C-alpha cells in the first residue's frame, strides 16, 4: 500500500488541500481522507485522475519500480 504515502506526499508537494483534491476527483473530503489513511482503497478511476492531476504515472503513485 505504498500509494497511501505517495498520494499524500504528492498533494502536499503541490500545496493542495484534501478538499481541493476531493473536488477534483468528484468525491467528498471525508472519502479522500480515508484514501490517504488507507481506510478505503483508491478506486482505479480516481488513480487515473490523480495521475493526470500530478502528471505522474500510475507506477509512480503505486510505488512500482
Amino acid at each position: 500500500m505504498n500509494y497511501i504515502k505517495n498520494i499524500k506526499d504528492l498533494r502536499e508537494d503541490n500545496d493542495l488541500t484534501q478538499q481541493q483534491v476531493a473536488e477534483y476527483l468528484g468525491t467528498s473530503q471525508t472519502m479522500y481522507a480515508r484514501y490517504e489513511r488507507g481506510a478505503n482503497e483508491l478506486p482505479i478511476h480516481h488513480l487515473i485522475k490523480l495521475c493526470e492531476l500530478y502528471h505522474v504515472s500510475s507506477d509512480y503513485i503505486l510505488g512500482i519500480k
Side-chain angles (χ1 to χ4, degrees):
M1 298 245 269
N2 291 337
Y3 75 87
I4 295 168
K5 181 179 181 331
N6 292 343
I7 62 173
K8 182 176 182 178
D9 288 347
L10 283 166
R11 179 180 59 76
E12 290 174 345
D13 290 348
N14 285 275
D15 298 319
L16 296 171
T17 64
Q18 287 183 342
Q19 182 66 39
Q20 289 170 314
V21 176
E23 287 174 7
Y24 178 81
L25 296 176
T27 192
S28 68
Q29 182 276 328
T30 302
M31 183 56 73
Y32 182 76
R34 293 177 63 82
Y35 300 150
E36 283 194 2
R37 284 195 322 270
N40 283 71
E41 289 194 15
L42 184 69
I44 297 281
H45 64 279
H46 285 171
L47 172 62
I48 293 167
K49 289 198 68 143
L50 290 175
C51 292
E52 294 169 349
L53 175 64
Y54 298 127
H55 306 287
V56 297
S57 70
S58 58
D59 285 354
Y60 181 83
I61 290 178
L62 297 173
I64 299 171
K65 301 198 187 267

